[in-house]
């Protein structure tokens, strides 16, 4: 590949995304150095920021950081370094730590540039094929994806490593070599060092073929995801609750595909076959007296009265004992309480004067409008509030009297009358 087509591929990828600032993930290796040079040569410097993640896994890690900083300074580009300390020396732990750092660093309007190339794509597809991946895995590395509200873009994904090396030599670029890349004890390194060279000897264009296969599988995956999303919309009781009865009426294969897709769209976490089997056995083949849970990296999947709830990780701390309330959103450890002015509706509170939110306690009672005195436990049961949400459900009081349970009831004497409008709605959204 000549210089111009490589630049054209880079710019074509970049121009598809409306980033205000491009954050260049710079490891110091060949691929990211070439990407840095391409960005600095073809994009306004005011749109660029260089970010280096120091994993502290190599004895020379600090030297790489210094090298990356000097490369950025030579190009007069702003530079930041983030130090992370992965749980272990494995590739997965390093990746998890790296992406958490990316997510924390990125600002609104940022795009993140990663330097994966076509040989990386071939390695990935081979690795996932040997691991027994499904369609999502075999589609390989996506050209772009979301990280929170930001775009991750890989503008070199269609470029071979050989072409990247040629570009680097042409421009006399310097880079660092990671010595672990030559250790074939790692699975990916084994494929790179021992398998791909043999395949290239027999099929010289094997990398391009893998890239083509990836594009075709990705198109099929996008179409399947579209159909699944349409079905999921009909199953959702709320954004994070699925209708369990409807799910139970489906075939096992379809049910697994829908739940996998739902969790991925909500949490960005793909379920593996072991997790799906566990979910099938515990959630759809166990009695209703059971309270199954599936612990995820990013949350917990639970069942209540046959329905599936996707929850945030358990809250380890108690809510504050007392919190004053006014109009607006009030973030608590277990959710968000929203107080809004309403010009209609009898289920609104008539005043916010001296209104506070307190932690629920055992034995609490109140008197909902038009009903007798009831325990909060009974109200939660009648409202089908899952047990794990009840402890941290907010209780609203004025001068030691319970006046409302957000989302459940307003109490006798505290509901707004037509002559007192506007009133105030209280909405609780658990995490």
């Amino acid at each position: 590949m000549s210089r111009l087509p490589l630049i054209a591929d880079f710019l074509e990828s970049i121009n598809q995304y409306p980033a205000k600032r491009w954050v260049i993930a710079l490891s110091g290796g060949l691929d990211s150095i070439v990407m840095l040079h391409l960005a600095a040569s073809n994009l306004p410097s005011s749109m660029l920021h260089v970010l280096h993640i120091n994993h502290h896994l190599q004895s020379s890690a600090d030297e790489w950081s210094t090298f990356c900083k000097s490369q950025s300074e030579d190009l007069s580009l702003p530079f930041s370094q983030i130090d992370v300390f992965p749980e272990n020396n494995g590739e997965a732990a390093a990746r998890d730590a790296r992406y958490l750092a990316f997510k924390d660093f990125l600002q609104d309007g940022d795009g993140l540039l990663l330097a994966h190339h076509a040989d990386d794509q071939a390695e990935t597809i081979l690795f996932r094929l040997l691991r027994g991946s499904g369609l999502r895995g075999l589609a390989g590395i996506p050209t772009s994806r979301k990280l929170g509200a930001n775009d991750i873009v890989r503008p070199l994904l269609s470029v071979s490593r050989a072409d990247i090396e040629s570009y680097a030599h042409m421009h006399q670029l310097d880079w660092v070599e990671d010595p672990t890349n030559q250790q074939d004890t790692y699975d990916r390194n084994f494929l790179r060092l021992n398998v791909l060279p043999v395949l290239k000897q027999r099929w010289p264009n094997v990398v391009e073929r893998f890239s083509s296969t990836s594009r075709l599988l990705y198109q099929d995956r996008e179409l399947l995801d579209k159909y699944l999303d349409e079905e999921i919309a009909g199953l959702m009781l709320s954004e994070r609750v699925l209708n369990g009865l409807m799910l139970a009426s489906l075939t096992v294969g379809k049910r697994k595909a829908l739940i996998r897709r739902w969790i991925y769209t909500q949490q960005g976490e793909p379920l593996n076959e072991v997790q799906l089997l566990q979910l099938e056995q515990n959630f759809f083949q166990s009695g209703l007296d059971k309270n199954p849970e599936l612990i995820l990296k990013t949350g917990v999947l639970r069942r209540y009265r046959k329905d599936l709830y996707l929850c945030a990780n358990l809250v380890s701390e108690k809510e504050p004992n007392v919190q004053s309330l006014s109009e607006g959103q009030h973030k608590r450890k277990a959710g968000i309480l929203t107080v809004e002015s309403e010009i209609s509706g009898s289920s609104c509170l008539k005043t916010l004067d001296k209104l506070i939110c307190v932690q629920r306690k055992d034995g609490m009672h109140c008197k909902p409008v038009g009903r007798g005195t009831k325990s909060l436990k009974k109200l939660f049961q009648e409202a089908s509030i899952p047990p794990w949400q009840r402890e941290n459900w907010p209780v609203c009081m004025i001068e030691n009297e319970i006046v409302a349970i957000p989302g459940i009831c307003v109490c006798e004497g505290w509901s707004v009358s037509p002559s007192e409008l506007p009133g105030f709605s209280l909405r609780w959204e658990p995490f």
Side-chain angles (χ1 to χ4, degrees):
M1 178 181 289
S2 66
R3 178 178 181 271
L4 289 178
L6 189 150
I7 294 173
D9 280 2
F10 175 83
L11 292 175
E12 182 181 358
S13 294
I14 294 292
N15 291 335
Q16 295 179 47
Y17 303 92
K20 296 177 182 177
R21 180 180 75 160
W22 288 108
V23 176
I24 303 165
L26 184 66
S27 67
L30 168 69
D31 318 325
S32 64
I33 285 292
V34 167
M35 185 174 69
L36 173 66
H37 189 269
L38 284 165
S41 302
N42 296 281
L43 298 174
S45 60
S46 59
M47 291 184 63
L48 302 178
H49 192 106
V50 182
L51 176 62
H52 174 73
I53 308 296
N54 187 337
H55 299 83
H56 295 278
L57 294 176
Q58 306 287 340
S59 59
S60 52
D62 290 338
E63 295 176 18
W64 299 347
S65 297
T66 302
F67 172 79
C68 289
K69 183 178 181 180
S70 68
Q71 290 290 308
S72 304
E73 291 174 346
D74 289 346
L75 295 167
S76 300
L77 295 178
F79 174 85
S80 296
Q81 175 183 321
I82 299 177
D83 295 285
V84 298
F85 300 89
E87 294 180 358
N88 55 60
N89 292 337
E91 292 177 274
R95 182 187 183 280
D96 289 345
R98 182 166 62 251
Y99 275 80
L100 281 175
F102 288 153
K103 190 171 184 180
D104 288 342
F105 182 82
L106 294 174
Q107 302 173 8
D108 290 342
D110 282 351
L112 178 66
L113 296 180
L114 300 182
H116 296 95
H117 50 70
D119 288 62
D120 292 327
Q121 183 73 284
E123 285 173 28
T124 298
I125 294 174
L126 271 174
F127 177 69
R128 292 179 179 176
L129 180 64
L130 294 169
R131 195 175 60 181
S133 295
L135 179 58
R136 179 172 294 279
L138 293 178
I141 306 169
T143 304
S144 68
R145 73 171 181 88
K146 288 290 186 181
L147 182 64
N150 303 99
D151 288 309
I152 294 178
V153 181
R154 300 177 174 91
L156 302 180
L157 196 58
S158 63
V159 182
S160 71
R161 179 178 172 83
D163 291 329
I164 289 174
E165 286 181 348
S166 296
Y167 181 94
H169 290 306
M170 180 188 303
H171 293 276
Q172 299 180 328
L173 302 181
D174 296 320
W175 63 89
V176 296
E177 293 284 0
D178 183 347
T180 64
N181 285 340
Q182 301 305 313
Q183 299 172 7
D184 64 6
T185 51
Y186 295 105
D187 291 339
R188 285 182 176 273
N189 287 358
F190 183 87
L191 292 172
R192 183 186 313 121
L193 298 172
N194 302 317
V195 177
L196 270 177
V198 176
L199 293 177
K200 288 177 180 179
Q201 287 179 358
R202 179 64 178 85
W203 297 280
N205 62 344
V206 66
V207 169
E208 290 79 1
R209 290 187 182 183
F210 273 118
S211 292
S212 176
T213 296
S214 172
R215 286 191 294 271
L216 293 172
L217 290 176
Y218 188 81
Q219 291 170 8
D220 289 345
R221 196 192 83 186
E222 280 193 316
L223 182 60
L224 176 60
D225 286 347
K226 177 178 180 293
Y227 289 137
L228 290 174
D229 289 343
E230 290 172 356
E231 293 254 1
I232 289 169
L235 293 169
M236 292 174 69
L237 300 176
S238 69
E239 187 176 18
R240 300 176 73 83
V241 183
L242 288 189
N243 188 313
L245 279 175
M246 292 179 67
L247 279 170
S249 69
L250 304 175
T251 62
V252 173
K254 186 173 184 179
R255 180 163 60 235
K256 287 165 62 176
L258 287 165
I259 293 173
R260 190 206 301 261
R261 174 63 180 168
W262 175 57
I263 291 177
Y264 185 79
T265 55
Q266 293 292 325
Q267 306 283 105
E269 180 175 348
L271 297 189
N272 59 40
E273 282 300 312
V274 173
Q275 290 172 308
L276 288 168
L277 178 60
Q278 181 183 349
L279 190 154
E280 181 65 28
Q281 292 173 341
N282 296 342
F283 284 68
F284 294 97
Q285 297 178 17
S286 64
L288 292 180
D289 58 325
K290 307 294 183 183
N291 296 301
E293 292 184 349
L294 180 64
I295 306 299
L296 309 171
K297 287 182 181 179
T298 53
V300 184
L301 186 66
R302 293 187 171 100
R303 185 186 72 183
Y304 178 63
R305 294 186 178 178
K306 297 187 178 181
D307 296 326
L308 270 62
Y309 290 74
L310 188 54
C311 312
N313 285 317
L314 293 173
V315 176
S316 58
E317 301 177 56
K318 294 283 188 180
E319 297 284 4
N321 289 333
V322 177
Q323 182 180 15
S324 297
L325 297 180
S326 57
E327 280 193 70
Q329 287 192 337
H330 301 267
K331 188 171 182 179
R332 294 170 66 80
K333 291 183 174 65
I336 295 176
L337 177 59
T338 303
V339 182
E340 293 180 317
S341 176
E342 297 282 354
I343 60 173
S344 64
S346 59
S347 60
C348 293
L349 193 65
K350 66 181 182 181
T351 181
L352 299 183
D353 187 35
K354 298 181 181 180
L355 181 68
I356 61 172
C357 179
V358 302
Q359 178 78 21
R360 180 207 171 195
K361 296 180 181 178
D362 291 340
M364 279 183 163
H365 291 72
C366 68
K367 188 176 182 180
V369 172
R371 305 172 67 186
T373 299
K374 289 185 175 288
S375 69
L376 266 59
K377 179 179 179 180
K378 183 67 174 175
L379 289 173
F380 287 141
Q381 290 173 341
E382 291 176 352
S384 298
I385 304 301
W388 61 86
Q389 294 180 356
R390 298 174 188 176
E391 180 181 1
N392 288 309
W393 201 277
V395 177
C396 295
M397 302 184 73
I398 294 178
E399 295 185 338
N400 297 319
E401 181 181 352
I402 296 177
V403 298
I405 310 298
I408 297 178
C409 70
V410 174
C411 297
E412 196 71 54
W414 296 98
S415 177
V416 68
S417 65
S419 63
E420 295 172 313
L421 290 170
F424 302 93
S425 65
L426 305 171
R427 186 174 71 255
W428 175 241
E429 299 172 272
F431 291 141

